[in-house]
Amino acid sequence: MVNGVHYLRMLQEAEEEGEKAAALVFSQARGVEAEHAELYKKALNHLIAQRGTQYYVCTVCGHIADGILPEKCPICGAPGSKFESVQ
Ligand SMILES: [Zn+2]
């Protein structure tokens, strides 16, 4: 059963387990109904804002790395200097 309470619980777990869990939960959310996914995205954005998660975007191919600046882009091989940090 997927409902708002379920999402809140997943968010709490993500908060406890960190970036990898958040990414996993986010990928799981893709399969649910659009309305629920939209609510979930808002909640996750709020969570990210609270935690100040840093994202790094590859300016060459658009790949997004969360939390850690990669040495080089896993998609296009651009060096870390080609990444821009986003909050
Ligand atoms: Zn890239």
Side-chain angles (χ1 to χ4, degrees), residues 58 60-61 63 73 75-76:
C58 177
V60 177
C61 73
H63 171 70
C73 179
I75 305 301
C76 71

Side-chain angles (χ1 to χ4, degrees), residues 10 22 32 41 47 53 55 59 61 68 76 80 83:
M10 293 202 305
V32 304
K41 269 193 279 183
L47 177 68
T53 301
Y55 289 92
T59 57
C61 73
I68 300 164
C76 71
F83 280 74

